[in-house]
Amino acid sequence: MAVYALPLFAYVLGGLLASVAAQSEYGQCGGIGWTGGITCPTGWVCTDLNPYYSQCLQDTSSGTTTAAPTSTSAPSSTSTSATSTLTGIAASAPTIGPSHDVGKLPALGWNSWNAYGCNINETKVLNAANQFISLGLADAGYEYINIDDCWPLTTRDASTGRIVPDPSKFPNGISGVAEKVHALGFKFGIYSDAGTATCAGFPGSLGNEELDAATFAEWGVDYLKYDNCNVPGNWSDAGNPPGGDWYNSNSAIRYRQMTAAMNETGRPFHFSLCIWGNANVWDWGARVGHSWRMSGDSSASWSYITSIITTNVQHLDSIDFYSHNDMDMMEIGNGALTIQEQRTHFAAWVFLKSPILLGTDLSLLNSTQLDIITNPELLAFHQDATIGTPAAPFTPTAGATTPSPPEFYAGTSSKGTHVFVINTNSTALTKTFDFANVPGLGSGSFVVHDMWTGKDLGTFTTSYSTTVDTHDTAALFIKPA
Ligand code: GLA
């Protein structure tokens, strides 16, 4: 019987087995095939990240999380200098930054995981690439075709030490798929893990970074998603990092080693840190990669959408060119999200400049869903080449209180000022904001334009009111009349 580690199960059993040593902070505590311990240290909770992996994460509900050090912004150069006062592994860890030949804008693409899990093969991947063309996604700017976990055999090649693509899934190897994806005009991404094994139990790259980066470069890989499962105990973060800077934490160093290995290949890689919001990654992610996951895995649910927005709005300072908080892969086309919820899902990933990696069998999308994910005005905001910062919450009218997640956001693109209004309520509601309260506007008359339909809604003075359907998002461009 497969063992799914449920947090509740872990709590209960943890109580019964109080004398058993707890797993380490960030250590594995459950998942399919896991036979180790399932209790976490005090203040840490065994959290299901996916069926294969549960991990001890800080219990944010108890207020015991470590205070975040001062935020850092995106680097202006691609390398940073080492601090001489550091000791141990932090003193000698590589400090080279990610390539800035790629990754300026949040990635637009497709990833196999939410659609197929481990059930992947060359045909499915190439179908997605061909559908990028036939469905108009290529013309809309979608660029990356990415394979997730489960592409290799479970053991490395005994003589070369290389990871081996599973020939039953990829009969032409990974280089064969990459070549075909490139020939169709797209970039190609792959997946590995900053531990000894991936979340589904395939070879990880910790300790093999140079060999694996060289192999991926040779195969023509353009993008690496680097996961965080199966981290050996000696690599876990014990309390505060050296010097109080999480860039010098063991977690960050596991990722820094891969950044350096990719740099050595001479091939620019887009580097996606799948670190689930651990180790204050928003403070150092841009020194190591181009984007970083802010949470555990997404689900096709309204509660996931609101919770990841709530998390992300606390870390908007870390978002800019080459520096993106990753709200996880898209669920449009999966589960039972309403069309309004799918619009909010897309709009929020757009205005918070998250990578947008479609995560469904693209042939199942209907025309309404395709219209959402190819909307030219929203994609133009997301891919704006002159303004990299996201929209941020604002107070719509004097004295209004801000719910969680906030409902009103204002942002700037090269065109001007945009306002996004989410209705988190379970009924349609009229939403009003005063122009004077929108950063960048002021009092006066403005033409309000609907980004979803591409149509002007009229000229308004002082304030604008609109009915927003339950869980829908209004997306507006506002220009002086
Ligand atoms: C983790 C990641 C997911 C996916 C799976 C694959 O859970 O967060 O996005 O890559 O591993 O096993």
Side-chain angles (χ1 to χ4, degrees):
M1 188 190 79
V3 178
Y4 284 78
L6 299 172
L8 180 63
F9 176 68
Y11 274 132
V12 173
L13 205 65
L16 295 175
L17 302 176
S19 59
V20 175
Q23 298 308 101
S24 60
E25 296 170 358
Y26 299 114
Q28 186 171 5
C29 54
I32 293 172
W34 175 247
T35 53
I38 57 169
T39 56
C40 293
T42 307
W44 295 67
V45 180
C46 188
T47 308
D48 254 1
L49 292 170
N50 72 23
Y52 299 96
Y53 200 78
S54 305
Q55 187 189 29
C56 293
L57 296 179
Q58 279 180 295
D59 181 2
T60 47
S61 65
S62 68
T64 55
T65 51
T66 313
T70 317
S71 166
T72 54
S73 54
S76 53
S77 73
T78 55
S79 68
T80 52
S81 54
T83 310
S84 56
T85 52
L86 294 172
T87 57
I89 192 165
S92 58
T95 56
I96 190 79
S99 167
H100 278 193
D101 292 343
V102 294
K104 175 179 171 181
L105 303 174
L108 269 181
W110 177 88
N111 172 293
S112 58
W113 184 253
N114 287 352
Y116 301 118
C118 278
N119 191 15
I120 47 168
N121 58 40
E122 175 174 312
T123 305
K124 287 176 178 167
V125 174
L126 293 180
N127 279 348
N130 280 303
Q131 283 150 354
F132 265 18
I133 298 169
S134 61
L135 299 175
L137 293 157
D139 288 343
Y142 287 83
E143 182 181 24
Y144 285 99
I145 295 287
N146 295 351
I147 298 180
D148 208 276
D149 204 349
C150 310
W151 58 266
L153 296 175
T154 48
T155 51
R156 289 173 177 266
D157 182 283
S159 57
T160 64
R162 286 190 182 212
I163 306 181
V164 185
D166 183 337
S168 68
K169 294 173 179 166
F170 297 100
N172 300 300
I174 293 300
S175 60
V177 195
E179 202 176 301
K180 290 176 188 156
V181 167
H182 289 153
L184 290 168
F186 305 116
K187 291 186 172 172
F188 176 74
I190 208 170
Y191 164 101
S192 189
D193 188 284
T196 54
T198 70
C199 298
F202 296 90
S205 293
L206 186 68
N208 282 292
E209 292 88 351
E210 290 186 8
L211 175 62
D212 291 352
T215 305
F216 299 155
E218 186 189 307
W219 288 345
V221 171
D222 306 297
Y223 180 116
L224 177 66
K225 171 178 174 179
Y226 207 39
D227 215 337
N228 197 32
C229 280
N230 296 300
V231 178
N234 60 318
W235 275 103
S236 63
D237 296 320
N240 286 320
D245 183 354
W246 284 91
Y247 177 69
N248 292 316
S249 64
N250 284 347
S251 283
I253 291 169
R254 286 184 290 112
Y255 284 83
R256 285 163 57 182
Q257 292 183 167
M258 184 50 95
T259 311
M262 290 190 295
N263 183 267
E264 273 173 42
T265 70
R267 184 176 178 87
F269 281 88
H270 187 122
F271 194 26
S272 151
L273 320 180
C274 183
I275 190 172
W276 312 317
N278 287 351
N280 289 5
V281 62
W282 39 84
D283 287 332
W284 52 267
R287 287 188 272 170
V288 179
H290 304 95
S291 65
W292 39 91
R293 280 271 298 277
M294 298 296 285
S295 69
D297 291 4
S298 64
S299 61
S301 64
W302 178 243
S303 62
Y304 177 77
I305 292 169
T306 52
S307 77
I308 191 66
I309 296 172
T310 303
T311 300
N312 211 359
V313 294
Q314 297 167 50
H315 302 289
L316 298 182
D317 287 352
S318 54
I319 306 171
D320 208 332
F321 292 136
Y322 303 103
S323 181
H324 298 110
N325 293 347
D326 181 352
M327 298 162 77
D328 202 2
M329 301 168 293
M330 303 303 284
E331 297 284 7
I332 288 178
N334 305 331
L337 292 171
T338 66
I339 280 297
Q340 291 80 354
E341 289 167 347
Q342 293 175 62
R343 258 201 296 267
T344 295
H345 181 6
F346 186 72
W349 270 237
V350 159
F351 71 68
L352 297 175
K353 306 248 171 158
S354 170
I356 293 181
L357 295 175
L358 304 174
T360 198
D361 173 351
L362 299 172
S363 68
L364 302 178
L365 293 173
N366 63 32
S367 61
T368 310
Q369 291 168 317
L370 285 168
D371 285 347
I372 292 172
I373 61 178
T374 58
N375 181 284
E377 296 198 24
L378 277 101
L379 286 171
F381 185 92
H382 186 250
Q383 296 288 300
D384 197 295
T386 53
I387 298 190
T389 46
F394 72 95
T395 306
T397 50
T401 52
T402 303
S404 182
E407 294 192 312
F408 290 83
Y409 298 79
T412 311
S413 75
S414 46
K415 279 171 66 176
T417 300
H418 302 254
V419 168
F420 301 89
V421 186
I422 305 175
N423 178 6
T424 59
N425 217 278
S426 48
T427 52
L429 285 178
T430 300
K431 299 285 180 184
T432 301
F433 58 89
D434 293 337
F435 295 123
N437 277 32
V438 178
L441 293 185
S443 48
S445 293
F446 295 89
V447 176
V448 177
H449 172 94
D450 184 343
M451 295 168 70
W452 287 118
T453 62
K455 297 206 168 87
D456 286 351
L457 297 164
T459 302
F460 301 85
T461 306
T462 310
S463 66
Y464 178 70
S465 288
T466 186
T467 302
V468 184
D469 210 349
T470 175
H471 297 180
D472 205 352
T473 292
L476 307 167
F477 169 52
I478 300 178
K479 56 191 169 190

